[in-house]
Amino acid sequence: MTVVAQGQTRIMGILNVTTDSFSDGGRYLDRDAAVAHAVDLVERGAHIIDVGGESTRPGASRVAVSEEQRRVLPVIRELVARDITVSVDTMNASTAEAAIAAGATIVNDVSGGLADPEMDELVIASGIRFVVMHWRGASDTMVQNAHYRDVVGEVIGELELRAAQLIVKGADPEQLILDPGLGFAKNAEHNWALLGHLPRLTALGLPVLVGASRKRFLGELEPGGDDPADRDLSSAVVAGLAARDGVWGVRVHDVTLTRTALAVAGAWQNGAAR
């Protein structure tokens, strides 16, 4: 288990056990390949491995819950046995429950609990840490919902409301982690506005997770950016700037570049404090 220093931004390494994820779909369907990749991410500096068995890229179709669990649970069990901290990336309460039983300590739900009416009860009863992402509909329809008058104000307001709903139902505020949902019902302009105003989100007082890694809006910034793997440098820069703005964690594909970016951000902050 990687130790996290006080105030250190966590690196959440992405492990897609899927056929159709936009960046690496199909590469880690085999359990041994998935475990090996996760171990490599941890050795490079990841604090958490986020295991997902269902793609949430724009336009993606849902996967049967039984298939999702078949993909992720053996991997989670093996990683936990190796003392690796695991998050499960799922919108299904039954998958989250099984993953918790297998040793996952975080549920990362891109719907913030809105896709499955049983998720709230599970989160509250289990006491599990829960990533509440901003969500305006399923992957196959979310592009239609990318309309805002004030994207920063609306996203923060909707996240604040969702967190309040969970707390009123009985969730401990310390369970909750907020995610602005970059790329989910948002275009490039929306994403950059949210990143540019991260301090307004962190000011709510809850931990914030940022997941910009390899997303399409970064492709405009790098030569060859049409290939998701060519977006790792810009992804790392975003991670460093997000860390400087005080986020709890960054969800990334390339841990090595991210670790360097976070080190630069930390040195910058230390220099400013002198």
Side-chain angles (χ1 to χ4, degrees):
M1 182 180 297
T2 306
V3 177
V4 183
Q6 181 70 28
Q8 181 180 4
T9 299
R10 291 152 181 81
I11 299 175
M12 179 182 281
I14 298 169
L15 180 58
N16 291 318
V17 192
T18 60
T19 60
D20 56 346
S21 290
F22 76 94
S23 173
D24 53 8
R27 292 187 63 184
Y28 305 114
L29 273 174
D30 176 76
R31 187 194 67 172
D32 291 343
V35 171
H37 183 57
V39 169
D40 181 62
L41 291 175
V42 170
E43 290 176 347
R44 291 174 184 270
H47 304 100
I48 304 161
I49 299 298
D50 191 41
V51 182
E54 178 179 34
S55 174
T56 53
R57 62 175 174 77
S61 299
R62 298 300 306 272
V63 171
V65 175
S66 59
E67 174 62 15
E68 180 190 35
Q69 294 183 14
R70 186 192 69 78
R71 294 174 180 179
V72 303
L73 294 179
V75 175
I76 291 172
R77 293 188 189 101
E78 181 64 26
L79 297 183
V80 170
R82 294 171 182 254
D83 203 25
I84 292 173
T85 301
V86 174
S87 167
V88 61
D89 177 1
T90 184
M91 293 185 282
N92 296 307
S94 61
T95 299
E97 184 175 25
I100 294 167
T105 57
I106 301 171
V107 173
N108 179 17
D109 182 349
V110 300
S111 80
L114 296 174
D116 187 333
E118 297 181 3
M119 186 66 85
D120 288 5
E121 182 179 348
L122 172 67
V123 169
I124 293 163
S126 66
I128 197 78
R129 297 212 77 179
F130 186 56
V131 179
V132 181
M133 200 191 81
H134 179 262
W135 192 70
R136 281 191 171 183
S139 296
D140 58 350
T141 60
M142 64 182 175
V143 174
Q144 302 168 20
N145 299 317
H147 301 287
Y148 304 86
R149 292 187 177 181
D150 170 14
V151 65
V152 177
E154 290 175 51
V155 168
I156 290 175
E158 289 170 29
L159 279 173
E160 189 172 21
L161 174 61
R162 185 69 189 115
Q165 290 170 337
L166 286 162
I167 292 167
V168 167
K169 289 182 177 182
D172 186 331
E174 293 189 1
Q175 290 178 251
L176 306 180
I177 301 163
L178 304 181
D179 182 338
L182 300 177
F184 287 79
K186 299 169 189 72
N187 61 30
E189 181 180 352
H190 299 145
N191 294 330
W192 288 120
L194 289 164
L195 287 169
H197 291 85
L198 276 177
R200 287 180 58 183
L201 183 55
T202 59
L204 294 180
L206 294 176
V208 172
L209 175 68
V210 167
S213 184
R214 294 185 178 177
K215 290 189 174 176
R216 184 179 303 170
F217 75 101
L218 299 177
E220 303 169 4
L221 305 179
E222 293 195 41
D226 289 341
D227 183 346
D230 289 333
R231 304 169 190 166
D232 284 337
L233 179 56
S234 53
S235 299
V237 174
V238 168
L241 293 171
R244 190 186 65 175
D245 283 341
V247 302
W248 171 89
V250 289
R251 183 177 180 273
V252 301
H253 296 85
D254 190 313
V255 170
T256 302
L257 277 176
T258 301
R259 187 181 63 190
T260 300
L262 297 190
V264 171
W268 191 297
Q269 287 178 303
N270 290 337
R274 292 178 182 174

PDB file of all heavy atoms in Angstrom, residues 118-133:
ATOM      1  N   GLU A 118     -30.426   2.298  -5.635  1.00  0.00           N
ATOM      2  CA  GLU A 118     -29.961   1.601  -4.440  1.00  0.00           C
ATOM      3  C   GLU A 118     -28.565   2.034  -3.993  1.00  0.00           C
ATOM      4  O   GLU A 118     -28.084   1.609  -2.944  1.00  0.00           O
ATOM      5  CB  GLU A 118     -29.980   0.092  -4.694  1.00  0.00           C
ATOM      6  CG  GLU A 118     -31.379  -0.460  -4.955  1.00  0.00           C
ATOM      7  CD  GLU A 118     -31.391  -1.963  -5.172  1.00  0.00           C
ATOM      8  OE1 GLU A 118     -30.305  -2.582  -5.070  1.00  0.00           O
ATOM      9  OE2 GLU A 118     -32.474  -2.507  -5.440  1.00  0.00           O
ATOM     10  N   MET A 119     -27.916   2.882  -4.793  1.00  0.00           N
ATOM     11  CA  MET A 119     -26.539   3.254  -4.477  1.00  0.00           C
ATOM     12  C   MET A 119     -26.443   4.089  -3.204  1.00  0.00           C
ATOM     13  O   MET A 119     -25.548   3.873  -2.376  1.00  0.00           O
ATOM     14  CB  MET A 119     -25.905   4.002  -5.645  1.00  0.00           C
ATOM     15  CG  MET A 119     -24.426   4.304  -5.455  1.00  0.00           C
ATOM     16  SD  MET A 119     -23.360   2.840  -5.426  1.00  0.00           S
ATOM     17  CE  MET A 119     -23.100   2.596  -7.200  1.00  0.00           C
ATOM     18  N   ASP A 120     -27.351   5.035  -3.018  1.00  0.00           N
ATOM     19  CA  ASP A 120     -27.277   5.886  -1.833  1.00  0.00           C
ATOM     20  C   ASP A 120     -27.313   5.051  -0.558  1.00  0.00           C
ATOM     21  O   ASP A 120     -26.513   5.263   0.370  1.00  0.00           O
ATOM     22  CB  ASP A 120     -28.442   6.884  -1.822  1.00  0.00           C
ATOM     23  CG  ASP A 120     -28.298   7.976  -2.872  1.00  0.00           C
ATOM     24  OD1 ASP A 120     -27.349   7.907  -3.673  1.00  0.00           O
ATOM     25  OD2 ASP A 120     -29.152   8.880  -2.881  1.00  0.00           O
ATOM     26  N   GLU A 121     -28.247   4.132  -0.483  1.00  0.00           N
ATOM     27  CA  GLU A 121     -28.387   3.298   0.713  1.00  0.00           C
ATOM     28  C   GLU A 121     -27.124   2.485   0.965  1.00  0.00           C
ATOM     29  O   GLU A 121     -26.672   2.343   2.101  1.00  0.00           O
ATOM     30  CB  GLU A 121     -29.588   2.358   0.569  1.00  0.00           C
ATOM     31  CG  GLU A 121     -29.840   1.496   1.789  1.00  0.00           C
ATOM     32  CD  GLU A 121     -31.054   0.592   1.626  1.00  0.00           C
ATOM     33  OE1 GLU A 121     -31.818   0.806   0.675  1.00  0.00           O
ATOM     34  OE2 GLU A 121     -31.223  -0.320   2.468  1.00  0.00           O
ATOM     35  N   LEU A 122     -26.535   1.955  -0.112  1.00  0.00           N
ATOM     36  CA  LEU A 122     -25.312   1.174   0.040  1.00  0.00           C
ATOM     37  C   LEU A 122     -24.184   2.037   0.590  1.00  0.00           C
ATOM     38  O   LEU A 122     -23.457   1.631   1.510  1.00  0.00           O
ATOM     39  CB  LEU A 122     -24.893   0.586  -1.309  1.00  0.00           C
ATOM     40  CG  LEU A 122     -23.517  -0.092  -1.321  1.00  0.00           C
ATOM     41  CD1 LEU A 122     -23.525  -1.346  -0.471  1.00  0.00           C
ATOM     42  CD2 LEU A 122     -23.078  -0.401  -2.743  1.00  0.00           C
ATOM     43  N   VAL A 123     -24.015   3.214   0.025  1.00  0.00           N
ATOM     44  CA  VAL A 123     -22.945   4.112   0.470  1.00  0.00           C
ATOM     45  C   VAL A 123     -23.109   4.449   1.945  1.00  0.00           C
ATOM     46  O   VAL A 123     -22.153   4.408   2.726  1.00  0.00           O
ATOM     47  CB  VAL A 123     -22.953   5.397  -0.393  1.00  0.00           C
ATOM     48  CG1 VAL A 123     -22.041   6.467   0.207  1.00  0.00           C
ATOM     49  CG2 VAL A 123     -22.532   5.070  -1.817  1.00  0.00           C
ATOM     50  N   ILE A 124     -24.324   4.770   2.330  1.00  0.00           N
ATOM     51  CA  ILE A 124     -24.578   5.162   3.719  1.00  0.00           C
ATOM     52  C   ILE A 124     -24.389   3.985   4.670  1.00  0.00           C
ATOM     53  O   ILE A 124     -23.744   4.104   5.712  1.00  0.00           O
ATOM     54  CB  ILE A 124     -25.994   5.754   3.835  1.00  0.00           C
ATOM     55  CG1 ILE A 124     -26.061   7.073   3.061  1.00  0.00           C
ATOM     56  CG2 ILE A 124     -26.382   5.971   5.294  1.00  0.00           C
ATOM     57  CD1 ILE A 124     -27.473   7.545   2.763  1.00  0.00           C
ATOM     58  N   ALA A 125     -24.916   2.833   4.303  1.00  0.00           N
ATOM     59  CA  ALA A 125     -24.821   1.664   5.189  1.00  0.00           C
ATOM     60  C   ALA A 125     -23.395   1.154   5.321  1.00  0.00           C
ATOM     61  O   ALA A 125     -22.979   0.701   6.390  1.00  0.00           O
ATOM     62  CB  ALA A 125     -25.721   0.548   4.648  1.00  0.00           C
ATOM     63  N   SER A 126     -22.622   1.232   4.237  1.00  0.00           N
ATOM     64  CA  SER A 126     -21.258   0.690   4.257  1.00  0.00           C
ATOM     65  C   SER A 126     -20.240   1.664   4.828  1.00  0.00           C
ATOM     66  O   SER A 126     -19.171   1.250   5.296  1.00  0.00           O
ATOM     67  CB  SER A 126     -20.834   0.300   2.838  1.00  0.00           C
ATOM     68  OG  SER A 126     -20.726   1.454   2.019  1.00  0.00           O
ATOM     69  N   GLY A 127     -20.531   2.961   4.759  1.00  0.00           N
ATOM     70  CA  GLY A 127     -19.571   3.965   5.190  1.00  0.00           C
ATOM     71  C   GLY A 127     -18.410   4.135   4.224  1.00  0.00           C
ATOM     72  O   GLY A 127     -17.412   4.777   4.549  1.00  0.00           O
ATOM     73  N   ILE A 128     -18.541   3.599   3.020  1.00  0.00           N
ATOM     74  CA  ILE A 128     -17.466   3.627   2.020  1.00  0.00           C
ATOM     75  C   ILE A 128     -17.237   5.056   1.522  1.00  0.00           C
ATOM     76  O   ILE A 128     -18.166   5.866   1.498  1.00  0.00           O
ATOM     77  CB  ILE A 128     -17.844   2.709   0.829  1.00  0.00           C
ATOM     78  CG1 ILE A 128     -16.628   2.366  -0.035  1.00  0.00           C
ATOM     79  CG2 ILE A 128     -18.933   3.334  -0.027  1.00  0.00           C
ATOM     80  CD1 ILE A 128     -15.757   1.308   0.542  1.00  0.00           C
ATOM     81  N   ARG A 129     -16.022   5.370   1.145  1.00  0.00           N
ATOM     82  CA  ARG A 129     -15.774   6.649   0.496  1.00  0.00           C
ATOM     83  C   ARG A 129     -16.412   6.620  -0.892  1.00  0.00           C
ATOM     84  O   ARG A 129     -16.358   5.607  -1.591  1.00  0.00           O
ATOM     85  CB  ARG A 129     -14.280   6.942   0.393  1.00  0.00           C
ATOM     86  CG  ARG A 129     -13.612   7.076   1.747  1.00  0.00           C
ATOM     87  CD  ARG A 129     -12.468   8.061   1.719  1.00  0.00           C
ATOM     88  NE  ARG A 129     -12.945   9.442   1.715  1.00  0.00           N
ATOM     89  CZ  ARG A 129     -12.129  10.508   1.706  1.00  0.00           C
ATOM     90  NH1 ARG A 129     -10.824  10.327   1.656  1.00  0.00           N
ATOM     91  NH2 ARG A 129     -12.618  11.731   1.718  1.00  0.00           N
ATOM     92  N   PHE A 130     -16.996   7.749  -1.278  1.00  0.00           N
ATOM     93  CA  PHE A 130     -17.841   7.772  -2.467  1.00  0.00           C
ATOM     94  C   PHE A 130     -17.524   8.995  -3.312  1.00  0.00           C
ATOM     95  O   PHE A 130     -17.628  10.129  -2.853  1.00  0.00           O
ATOM     96  CB  PHE A 130     -19.308   7.806  -2.034  1.00  0.00           C
ATOM     97  CG  PHE A 130     -20.298   7.681  -3.155  1.00  0.00           C
ATOM     98  CD1 PHE A 130     -20.262   6.601  -4.026  1.00  0.00           C
ATOM     99  CD2 PHE A 130     -21.290   8.632  -3.325  1.00  0.00           C
ATOM    100  CE1 PHE A 130     -21.189   6.472  -5.052  1.00  0.00           C
ATOM    101  CE2 PHE A 130     -22.233   8.513  -4.344  1.00  0.00           C
ATOM    102  CZ  PHE A 130     -22.167   7.432  -5.208  1.00  0.00           C
ATOM    103  N   VAL A 131     -17.114   8.740  -4.568  1.00  0.00           N
ATOM    104  CA  VAL A 131     -16.868   9.835  -5.503  1.00  0.00           C
ATOM    105  C   VAL A 131     -18.184  10.225  -6.151  1.00  0.00           C
ATOM    106  O   VAL A 131     -18.812   9.426  -6.854  1.00  0.00           O
ATOM    107  CB  VAL A 131     -15.840   9.435  -6.575  1.00  0.00           C
ATOM    108  CG1 VAL A 131     -15.636  10.594  -7.555  1.00  0.00           C
ATOM    109  CG2 VAL A 131     -14.509   9.050  -5.929  1.00  0.00           C
ATOM    110  N   VAL A 132     -18.586  11.454  -5.903  1.00  0.00           N
ATOM    111  CA  VAL A 132     -19.830  11.998  -6.443  1.00  0.00           C
ATOM    112  C   VAL A 132     -19.472  12.844  -7.658  1.00  0.00           C
ATOM    113  O   VAL A 132     -19.003  13.968  -7.534  1.00  0.00           O
ATOM    114  CB  VAL A 132     -20.549  12.869  -5.390  1.00  0.00           C
ATOM    115  CG1 VAL A 132     -21.859  13.409  -5.955  1.00  0.00           C
ATOM    116  CG2 VAL A 132     -20.780  12.089  -4.109  1.00  0.00           C
ATOM    117  N   MET A 133     -19.674  12.288  -8.839  1.00  0.00           N
ATOM    118  CA  MET A 133     -19.353  13.034 -10.054  1.00  0.00           C
ATOM    119  C   MET A 133     -20.574  13.789 -10.560  1.00  0.00           C
ATOM    120  O   MET A 133     -21.708  13.331 -10.389  1.00  0.00           O
ATOM    121  CB  MET A 133     -18.838  12.096 -11.151  1.00  0.00           C
ATOM    122  CG  MET A 133     -18.049  12.827 -12.228  1.00  0.00           C
ATOM    123  SD  MET A 133     -17.712  11.813 -13.695  1.00  0.00           S
ATOM    124  CE  MET A 133     -19.297  11.978 -14.545  1.00  0.00           C
TER     125      MET A 133
END
